[in-house]
């Protein structure tokens, strides 16, 4: 079981390292998201580059990167500590992909996918918090940061054994948003619907 659990963790990292944003832009001949706009290969930047439909496809793919390894681990009954490590490593793969010189996205959709599989109630409050924050402020980054800050509180209420896991994942998401935080502080962050 231990060897299988380690295999799932490694699989999670490599799956997370597949950047749908970069691959879709290359296939459809859009600019490389690492060289355009925020230079982040994530759904928000893809929305600015290629529009809503392509951005949605990126979100779906990134969510599945979080869902698939957790689903495999969960239904294979690997221990909770390894399941938590799987969630962390799939996010690390997305953020620091080995296939793209460790230049990845910010992990929001992938983290959402991983945590959704662990607890559906947690997923509902996460997406609700993100939507309400984005609609209130107009900033995708603010939605991600606010949601990341309060996810551990939700986890403590819904499934406390994953409290530490959510703290780690939330910290990774916030660290990856450090440049957004600086732009917000200097009033330079772009609204989600503006180019």
């Amino acid at each position: 079981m231990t060897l299988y659990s380690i295999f799932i963790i490694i699989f999670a990292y490599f799956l997370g390292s597949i950047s749908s944003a970069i691959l879709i832009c290359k296939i459809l001949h859009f600019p490389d998201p690492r060289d355009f706009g925020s230079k982040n290969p994530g759904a928000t930047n893809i929305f600015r580059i290629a529009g809503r439909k392509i951005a949605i496809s990126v979100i779906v793919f990134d969510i599945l990167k979080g869902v698939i390894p957790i689903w495999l681990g969960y239904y294979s009954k690997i221990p909770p500590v390894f399941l938590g490590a799987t969630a962390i490593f799939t996010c690390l793969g997305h953020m620091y992909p080995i296939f793209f010189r460790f230049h990845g996205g910010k992990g929001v959709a992938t983290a959402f996918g991983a945590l959704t599989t662990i607890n559906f109630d947690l997923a509902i409050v996460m997406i609700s918090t993100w939507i309400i924050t984005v609609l209130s402020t107009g900033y995708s980054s603010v939605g991600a940061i606010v949601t990341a800050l309060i996810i551990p509180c939700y986890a403590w209420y819904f499934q406390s054994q994953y409290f530490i896991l959510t703290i780690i994942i939330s910290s990774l998401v916030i660290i990856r948003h450090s440049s957004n935080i600086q732009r917000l502080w200097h009033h330079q962050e772009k609204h989600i619907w503006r180019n």
Side-chain angles (χ1 to χ4, degrees), residues 8 35 37 57 64 67 69 95-96 98 108 117 121 139 146 154 183 187:
I8 292 291
D35 300 324
S57 68
L64 288 174
V67 168
M95 296 172 180
Y96 306 102
I98 193 170
V108 176
T117 311
D121 291 331
Y139 295 105
V146 169
Y154 292 151
R183 287 195 296 270
H187 306 287

Side-chain angles (χ1 to χ4, degrees), residues 77-88:
K77 302 187 184 307
I78 69 173
V81 64
F82 287 107
L83 197 62
T86 300
I88 291 167

Side-chain angles (χ1 to χ4, degrees), residues 50-63:
R52 183 179 292 109
K53 289 182 180 179
I54 304 299
I56 289 172
S57 68
V58 168
I59 290 173
V60 170
F61 188 90
D62 288 348
I63 289 173

Side-chain angles (χ1 to χ4, degrees), residues 71-129:
W71 184 87
L72 286 174
Y74 185 81
Y75 286 99
S76 300
K77 302 187 184 307
I78 69 173
V81 64
F82 287 107
L83 197 62
T86 300
I88 291 167
F89 272 81
T90 193
C91 292
L92 285 172
H94 178 80
M95 296 172 180
Y96 306 102
I98 193 170
F99 303 129
F100 298 98
R101 290 179 286 183
F102 304 101
H103 187 174
K106 297 185 177 176
V108 176
T110 303
F112 173 77
L115 295 175
T116 295
T117 311
I118 289 173
N119 186 282
F120 186 72
D121 291 331
L122 180 60
I124 295 297
V125 290
M126 279 193 303
I127 193 65
S128 299
T129 301

